[in-house]
Amino acid sequence: MNDGIVREQLYQRYIEPTKKKRQDYVGIEIEMPIVNLDKQPVDFSVVHTVTDRFIRHFAFEPAGIDDEGNIYSAANQETGDILSYDCSYNNLELSLGRRKDLHAIRQCFRGYYEFLQKEFGAYHYTLTGMGVNPHRTINRNVPIPNGRYRMLFHHLNSYKNYTVPMFFHSYPEYGTFSSASQVQLDVDYDDLLTTLSVFSKVEPIKALLFSNSVLLGEHEELLCCRDMFWENSTHGINPHNVGMFECSFDSIDELMSYIESTSIYCVERGDKYINFPPVNIMEYFRQASVTGEYFADGAYHSIEVTPQIDDIQYLRTFKFEDLTFRGTVEFRSVCCQPIADCMTVAAFHVGLKNRLHDLDQIFENDHVIYHHGYTPSELRKMFNNRALPSFVDEDELYAFAKRIVDLASDGLSARGYGEESLLAPLYDRLEQRTNPARKMLTLREQGTPLEEIILQYGAI
């Protein structure tokens, strides 16, 4: 296929939507672990029962049915709100349809959450606000039985087949026990490059404030293992598909070149999800066919795939700042937060987006974390750890982080919805020099039972 055709389609998919003038909407996705407080694996029949009751109560309509006839996704057509299960039935996700006011989103989330907690509570289950399911070693970490998640699970488990010069972790099932808090914000064409660049620079501060995914009993010095899960899996074979933008872009052409450097690893043909070793998107369309695998009748089968231009829709990257086909940037590096603090993630990003160029200037002139020889990615990895890097002055670091939160508060105040109050938990973390992961480890060291922490992080 002609390279020019592919480039034009990529431009139409990712760049053109940012030129459309839109309202300043916010979309929020909150994934949450489901925990059986009897310290037994989550019984998926309980999950299906609660799902059915939720759908009836809130007048949602089934949107996804697995191969065993169970609902894994349901939506409210009026609001755009979605209840779904991400990767497995151990991980519940609430996606709140786009709205302007974060307080309205919070009120809607609260109504759904309180209903779910009541229903799960009848079985001695709970939802909680942790980035790693605290019962991951107890649960059945299996994918939802449908084409997409079975394909994804197979793709991640294929890491042993590769001889690429990179480290693979041994948690290919991580999607079944890791939970995130993601935000989508409309981005204008004129601000696109600055948004990707400056929010990449914010990532180390986000690690400091929001880290909340600890592998209890393993690697407890790592406060946010979320990055490792993605970057050191088959998703990270092409590093341009994951993590941060290591380069700044001086033009849209340079951004397009970056998009052209990413890889595709799956497509769909009829009712078959097909995965294959990641291949550069431009190279994919230059080939007459690609050999992949699909699942049928209890086994995987080889199949030859002829590239079609519509396959661009299956180009999935997992960047911390991910440009989407909706004309939005999805911020996806933050772990699920304690439920009472769940709106801090959106509030932080919305406020900073509203002060984008001020934020850019702060980082241009910073010497607290930058200009010490480290890239944003290297700093993010350092701040993901319990021990801060030795070159950083802790007092200066937290003062600098407060300056960023203050700017977010100012940006929210200018919106006129009173949303700046949602940042209060971040000010508490700054004052105490902690984050949810640090707090959890401290509580554990003080003898607080894990089940008590689970309930505490699940309180709203």
Side-chain angles (χ1 to χ4, degrees):
M1 192 175 299
N2 183 281
D3 283 1
I5 294 175
V6 179
R7 289 194 179 98
E8 176 60 24
Q9 289 299 311
L10 288 171
Y11 187 93
Q12 290 298 319
R13 181 168 177 81
Y14 292 105
I15 308 300
E16 195 63 35
T18 68
K19 297 180 179 180
K20 299 175 183 177
K21 295 301 179 185
R22 288 153 295 157
Q23 302 284 345
D24 200 15
Y25 284 114
V26 182
I28 297 176
E29 301 169 12
I30 300 175
E31 302 166 2
M32 297 163 284
I34 303 170
V35 179
N36 182 342
L37 294 171
D38 291 328
K39 298 184 181 180
Q40 296 293 319
V42 168
D43 182 344
F44 296 158
S45 68
V46 170
V47 175
H48 302 322
T49 297
V50 171
T51 302
D52 290 340
R53 291 173 181 168
F54 179 95
I55 289 172
R56 289 197 301 270
H57 185 82
F58 290 104
F60 277 44
E61 297 179 6
I65 309 292
D66 71 21
D67 294 348
E68 297 172 359
N70 296 305
I71 298 169
Y72 66 85
S73 177
N76 184 301
Q77 300 303 319
E78 290 187 13
T79 64
D81 298 339
I82 299 171
L83 176 141
S84 63
Y85 294 92
D86 188 74
C87 290
S88 86
Y89 288 117
N90 297 310
N91 195 30
L92 186 148
E93 178 176 330
L94 287 173
S95 302
L96 289 309
R98 62 180 196 165
R99 295 171 174 85
K100 291 184 179 180
D101 183 352
L102 293 177
H103 286 300
I105 296 177
R106 183 179 186 278
Q107 183 178 2
C108 185
F109 172 83
R110 186 183 187 107
Y112 295 149
Y113 184 81
E114 289 180 342
F115 179 88
L116 289 166
Q117 282 292 67
K118 180 181 177 182
E119 294 298 324
F120 277 122
Y123 299 92
H124 206 213
Y125 282 36
T126 187
L127 298 170
T128 193
M130 295 180 179
V132 170
N133 194 310
H135 283 184
R136 68 180 178 86
T137 59
I138 298 173
N139 287 333
R140 292 186 297 125
N141 296 316
V142 295
I144 292 170
N146 71 357
R148 177 189 172 193
Y149 287 120
R150 189 183 290 111
M151 176 277 297
L152 178 59
F153 198 73
H154 182 62
H155 174 64
L156 291 169
N157 272 278
S158 69
Y159 73 96
K160 296 176 183 177
N161 301 333
Y162 292 92
T163 56
V164 293
M166 65 174 283
F167 161 73
F168 286 111
H169 61 66
S170 57
Y171 309 100
E173 75 283 7
Y174 69 86
T176 67
F177 61 74
S178 64
S179 301
S181 180
Q182 297 171 179
V183 184
Q184 286 203 32
L185 303 180
D186 289 325
V187 61
D188 292 328
Y189 177 85
D190 292 342
D191 287 334
L192 176 55
L193 300 181
T194 303
T195 298
L196 296 178
S197 173
V198 72
F199 272 100
S200 290
K201 295 176 183 176
V202 180
E203 287 298 336
I205 298 300
K206 286 164 63 175
L208 185 76
L209 293 172
F210 294 108
S211 287
N212 191 31
S213 56
V214 179
L215 282 169
L216 292 172
E218 302 178 57
H219 312 297
E220 290 192 0
E221 74 285 352
L222 189 58
L223 302 181
C224 179
C225 59
R226 177 172 177 76
D227 299 12
M228 176 192 70
F229 284 157
W230 293 92
E231 294 173 17
N232 296 107
S233 72
T234 52
H235 285 317
I237 290 174
N238 181 346
H240 280 198
N241 276 52
V242 296
M244 296 157 62
F245 292 100
E246 294 287 7
C247 54
S248 58
F249 306 114
D250 293 327
S251 67
I252 293 294
D253 285 342
E254 289 186 11
L255 175 59
M256 281 299 303
S257 293
Y258 195 99
I259 293 172
E260 292 165 19
S261 74
T262 59
S263 297
I264 185 172
Y265 69 91
C266 71
V267 295
E268 199 173 359
R269 293 290 184 269
D271 61 350
K272 298 182 181 71
Y273 265 94
I274 302 162
N275 74 276
F276 40 81
V279 58
N280 169 264
I281 187 66
M282 302 302 292
E283 183 61 29
Y284 171 77
F285 284 108
R286 293 176 188 135
Q287 299 184 42
S289 66
V290 174
T291 302
E293 293 180 296
Y294 72 95
F295 182 86
D297 301 322
Y300 286 91
H301 308 271
S302 180
I303 186 173
E304 291 295 312
V305 176
T306 300
Q308 302 172 4
I309 194 62
D310 287 347
D311 291 341
I312 282 177
Q313 68 183 296
Y314 298 103
L315 176 60
R316 285 290 309 275
T317 58
F318 303 95
K319 308 294 291 180
F320 288 175
E321 286 75 36
D322 223 1
L323 180 60
T324 79
F325 66 91
R326 301 179 182 89
T328 65
V329 170
E330 182 175 23
F331 300 93
R332 47 178 301 119
S333 65
V334 178
C335 318
C336 173
Q337 298 295 288
I339 300 304
D341 303 348
C342 65
M343 287 297 141
T344 57
V345 181
F348 182 79
H349 288 88
V350 170
L352 290 181
K353 183 202 170 210
N354 210 31
R355 289 292 181 264
L356 181 65
H357 297 284
D358 294 329
L359 182 64
D360 194 20
Q361 286 302 305
I362 286 177
F363 281 108
E364 282 295 317
N365 299 316
D366 167 59
H367 287 272
V368 175
I369 63 173
Y370 286 105
H371 302 104
H372 292 280
Y374 297 103
T375 66
S377 287
E378 290 168 337
L379 289 168
R380 164 96 183 181
K381 285 180 171 61
M382 291 176 182
F383 288 5
N384 277 343
N385 286 282
R386 198 171 186 183
L388 293 172
S390 59
F391 74 87
V392 173
D393 180 284
E394 188 172 339
D395 292 336
E396 292 180 352
L397 173 62
Y398 279 94
F400 181 67
K402 182 178 182 300
R403 188 179 176 193
I404 302 299
V405 177
D406 285 343
L407 186 64
S409 179
D410 183 63
L412 291 171
S413 179
R415 284 164 50 85
Y417 298 119
E419 297 161 321
E420 58 272 20
S421 64
L422 298 173
L423 295 175
L426 297 188
Y427 283 107
D428 290 340
R429 295 177 192 179
L430 288 167
E431 183 177 350
Q432 298 170 23
R433 298 190 177 183
T434 192
N435 56 43
R438 288 182 185 277
K439 181 179 178 180
M440 178 178 64
L441 290 172
T442 298
L443 288 170
R444 293 270 288 166
E445 290 164 359
Q446 292 172 348
T448 304
L450 178 59
E451 308 320 296
E452 186 176 324
I453 300 172
I454 291 170
L455 294 174
Q456 180 179 330
Y457 277 48
I460 192 166

